[in-house]
Amino acid sequence: MPLVRPIWLVTVTATLLSLPACPRDAPDTLNRATLLDRSQGLEISRTAARQYGYDLANYELDTFGDPVSDDRQTWHFLYRAHPQDGGYGRHFLVVVDRRSHEAEVFPGE
């Protein structure tokens, strides 16, 4: 005898199976469907810089211009060494993707 299931049960099951899984380690406070605001992006950039090995006490955030990219998909945070520390020319850039929340550090020269 064939197994008969109600159509609504099949539809609900198929719909649930087609939804993407949420990563278990994703913080509840971060909604990846929305774009990061500047303060969130800045915090991610600071964390990435420290993980890369930069001591942020020796750097200041460059505040010239708008840190969002032309396509509004990434934040660009430029850190410059304090001038009083002989830091002219020492800098690095952190690019934060506003949707994926991933950061990439670009060392300066």
Side-chain angles (χ1 to χ4, degrees), residues 29-31 34-45 66-68 72-77 96-99 101:
T29 58
L30 293 178
N31 180 355
T34 60
L35 297 178
L36 289 173
D37 65 25
R38 184 182 184 283
S39 64
Q40 293 168 320
L42 183 58
E43 189 57 39
I44 290 172
S45 79
D66 189 2
V68 73
R72 312 206 56 81
Q73 296 302 306
T74 56
W75 290 110
H76 297 174
F77 298 105
V96 180
D97 186 291
R98 294 182 72 197
R99 192 166 307 280
H101 306 185

Side-chain angles (χ1 to χ4, degrees), residues 59-81:
Y59 292 86
E60 57 190 22
L61 184 64
D62 184 31
T63 57
F64 182 77
D66 189 2
V68 73
S69 63
D70 290 340
D71 65 1
R72 312 206 56 81
Q73 296 302 306
T74 56
W75 290 110
H76 297 174
F77 298 105
L78 179 65
Y79 293 86
R80 295 184 184 277

Side-chain angles (χ1 to χ4, degrees), residues 6 9-10 15 25 34 46 55 58 74 77 86 97 102 104:
L9 182 61
V10 174
T15 302
D25 59 346
T34 60
R46 289 178 177 149
D55 181 359
N58 299 326
T74 56
F77 298 105
D97 186 291
E102 294 178 7
E104 189 170 358

